Structures are given as structure tokens and as C-alpha cells.
């Protein structure tokens, strides 16, 4: 009962039950959609296929020849969310961030293979694959790294205690492949019956897979190596001679493509 002078109380507005239920359903649907997208964005895996591993700057890395091809394997066992796709990302030597590659990733079942190459100076390049939707990465693989090794700059042959004779792949004037008596930079001296260490090695390291170096003393092969540093060495004893005698030391660097680079040091052995 309302007394005189007391203001009438206005009832609070009622929230319609249907509106409350609709709002809750909308939030639940949004939550389920987010959960569904997260569940669908399974983390892909990425691996390097078929490359040789080598010790480079203290790390064991797969390595390939600069300008060649390397194969990456991708596994994605989930279902791609609507509008999403797998994208390959690369991070070049010296770069601080990954950049999307133009190489397409096409799944066959749950797997895909892509071929990558690198034609610049060389060095470590990292790769990852991510599920991308609307420019946003929903999930990403762990990164893998390939070291792209440059072609050797040339080859050295060395006599212990003396400078090395050298043949360059690219500089014509630096050439001891077929030295003559006038080739000062391709000559050396030794004493009769002297024991010394001789070696053959690549002008740059690491060398790409498949390259090998061999060392020859007076035409006879002494050692060979296909290691990542392309180097071999041995100890020899020069013969006892009655007159000055020239004995060649030769390094031969051979590529898997058939390219051969040689450097010869003409050692004069004195009595």
C-alpha cells in the first residue's frame, strides 16, 4: 500500500530469458570454434632427407652444394582448418626472422616433399613449415638447418716448412696445374734423404658433399680424403741423390660432377 507523499517505485526492467540464453549459446559456439581451430592446427613436422651430415663450426649439420637441390620431408597428421594452408618459411644466413617461401606445399595424404636451393654466398639456412590462416601462424614445426657449402676456391699442395703451391678455380694467374722451371710460386727445395710432411687441401672449407682430394708424391698416390675439409697428409723421405733432382708433389681435387683441379709443387732435391 502506497502512502501519500511516497514516490512510486519503478520496477527493474526484466532481461528476457531468450536473450540471455542466446548470448550464452553464441559464446559457447565461439569457444567451440576456437577450440576446434586449435585442435585442427596440429603441429607439423619437418626433416631433411638424404643429405650427408658434417661437423661445421662445432655443429653437426646436413650440408649441400650451393646452387644444388635439397629435399625436405613434411608430415601433417591433422586436418587443416578451413581456409588454412601449409607454408614453408626460410631464414637466410645473417637474417633475424623467417620469411615465407614461394615454394608450394602439397600434401599427399599426410605427407609432402619440397625441394629447396640456395644460390648466394652460402652458409646455414633454417627452414620451418607452419599452418597459416589469414596471415596468422596457427602452429609451426621445429626448425631444421642446412649448411650450403660453396664450391672450393682452389687446391693447395704443401711441403712442410715451405709455402704451398696453389691453383685457383677462378683466377687464371694463380695456377700451378702444369708448372715450368719459370713458375717460381710452384717450386720448392729439399735435401737428400730429408723426411718431411706433405699435404693436399682445398682452398676453402667446408667443401660440398662428394668432393675429394688426393695427394701424389713423384706420381704415386699417398692418400685421399672425401671429408668435409677435403684434406689429406702423409710423411715422406726424399731419396738420396748425387745430383739435383726434381720431384713433383701434386694435389688433385675432384668434384662429383667430374671437375678436376690440380696443383703441383716441383721440389728440387739437392745432395
Amino acid at each position: 500500500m502506497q502512502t501519500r507523499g511516497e514516490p512510486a517505485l519503478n520496477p527493474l526492467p526484466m532481461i528476457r530469458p531468450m536473450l540471455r540464453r542466446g548470448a550464452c549459446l553464441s559464446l559457447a559456439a565461439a569457444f567451440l570454434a576456437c577450440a576446434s581451430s586449435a585442435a585442427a592446427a596440429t603441429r607439423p613436422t619437418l626433416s631433411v632427407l638424404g643429405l650427408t651430415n658434417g661437423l661445421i663450426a662445432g655443429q653437426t649439420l646436413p650440408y649441400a652444394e650451393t646452387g644444388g637441390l635439397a629435399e625436405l620431408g613434411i608430415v601433417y597428421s591433422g586436418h587443416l582448418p578451413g581456409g588454412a594452408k601449409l607454408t614453408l618459411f626460410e631464414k637466410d644466413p645473417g637474417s633475424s626472422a623467417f620469411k615465407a617461401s614461394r615454394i608450394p606445399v602439397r600434401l599427399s595424404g599426410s605427407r609432402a616433399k619440397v625441394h629447396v636451393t640456395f644460390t648466394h654466398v652460402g652458409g646455414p639456412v633454417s627452414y620451418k613449415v607452419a599452418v597459416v590462416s589469414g596471415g596468422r601462424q596457427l602452429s609451426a614445426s621445429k626448425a631444421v638447418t642446412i649448411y650450403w657449402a660453396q664450391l672450393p676456391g682452389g687446391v693447395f699442395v704443401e711441403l712442410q716448412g715451405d709455402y704451398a703451391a696453389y691453383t685457383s678455380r677462378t683466377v687464371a694467374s694463380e695456377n700451378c696445374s702444369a708448372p715450368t722451371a719459370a713458375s717460381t710460386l710452384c717450386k720448392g727445395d729439399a735435401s737428400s734423404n730429408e723426411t718431411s710432411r706433405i699435404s693436399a687441401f682445398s682452398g676453402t672449407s667446408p667443401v660440398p658433399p662428394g668432393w675429394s682430394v688426393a695427394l701424389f708424391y713423384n706420381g704415386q698416390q699417398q692418400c685421399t680424403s672425401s671429408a668435409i675439409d677435403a684434406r689429406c697428409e702423409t710423411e715422406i723421405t726424399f731419396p738420396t741423390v748425387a745430383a739435383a733432382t726434381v720431384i713433383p708433389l701434386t694435389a688433385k681435387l675432384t668434384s662429383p660432377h667430374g671437375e678436376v683441379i690440380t696443383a703441383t709443387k716441383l721440389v728440387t732435391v739437392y745432395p
Side-chain angles (χ1 to χ4, degrees):
M1 180 176 180
Q2 178 180 350
T3 59
R4 186 174 297 178
E6 291 179 346
L9 296 176
N10 294 323
L12 293 174
M14 297 293 291
I15 299 176
R16 296 174 61 185
M18 287 298 291
L19 291 178
R20 288 203 304 267
R21 185 170 61 183
C24 291
L25 289 174
S26 297
L27 288 172
F31 175 80
L32 289 174
C34 292
S36 176
S37 295
T42 305
R43 186 174 187 175
T45 60
L46 182 66
S47 59
V48 180
L49 304 177
L51 290 187
T52 303
N53 290 329
L55 186 62
I56 305 171
Q59 299 183 70
T60 300
L61 295 173
Y63 65 108
E65 183 176 305
T66 301
L69 289 176
E71 191 173 55
L72 302 177
I74 299 166
V75 177
Y76 185 73
S77 57
H79 296 283
L80 286 172
K85 64 178 181 178
L86 289 174
T87 301
L88 182 70
F89 288 81
E90 303 175 346
K91 185 168 70 172
D92 294 351
S95 298
S96 59
F98 282 90
K99 294 182 180 179
S101 167
R102 295 182 179 179
I103 300 171
V105 178
R106 297 185 178 93
L107 287 172
S108 176
S110 62
R111 298 178 180 274
K113 292 180 180 179
V114 295
H115 290 92
V116 293
T117 189
F118 191 72
T119 57
H120 304 300
V121 174
V125 178
S126 296
Y127 303 88
K128 70 176 182 178
V129 65
V131 179
V132 176
S133 178
R136 185 168 64 95
Q137 293 185 30
L138 304 182
S139 64
S141 70
K142 291 183 179 180
V144 298
T145 300
I146 296 174
Y147 191 96
W148 293 94
Q150 300 179 63
L151 295 178
V155 65
F156 288 94
V157 61
E158 185 177 52
L159 172 65
Q160 183 180 15
D162 201 355
Y163 59 84
Y166 176 67
T167 296
S168 169
R169 288 184 66 255
T170 57
V171 182
S173 61
E174 299 175 356
N175 193 325
C176 285
S177 60
T180 65
S183 306
T184 306
L185 296 178
C186 310
K187 297 169 67 176
D189 300 328
S191 300
S192 182
N193 202 38
E194 177 184 339
T195 298
S196 294
R197 180 160 291 273
I198 58 175
S199 56
F201 52 96
S202 168
T204 52
S205 180
V207 298
W211 285 77
S212 63
V213 65
L215 175 63
F216 297 81
Y217 166 73
N218 203 22
Q220 300 296 312
Q221 183 170 318
Q222 302 298 303
C223 62
T224 185
S225 173
S226 56
I228 194 169
D229 60 350
R231 182 185 184 96
C232 75
E233 57 185 24
T234 190
E235 197 171 77
I236 54 93
T237 300
F238 289 102
T240 300
V241 296
T245 304
V246 175
I247 295 179
L249 307 178
T250 299
K252 180 187 290 186
L253 189 63
T254 305
S255 82
H257 319 297
E259 180 181 358
V260 177
I261 312 164
T262 62
T264 296
K265 187 177 186 69
L266 299 177
V267 181
T268 302
V269 182
Y270 293 94

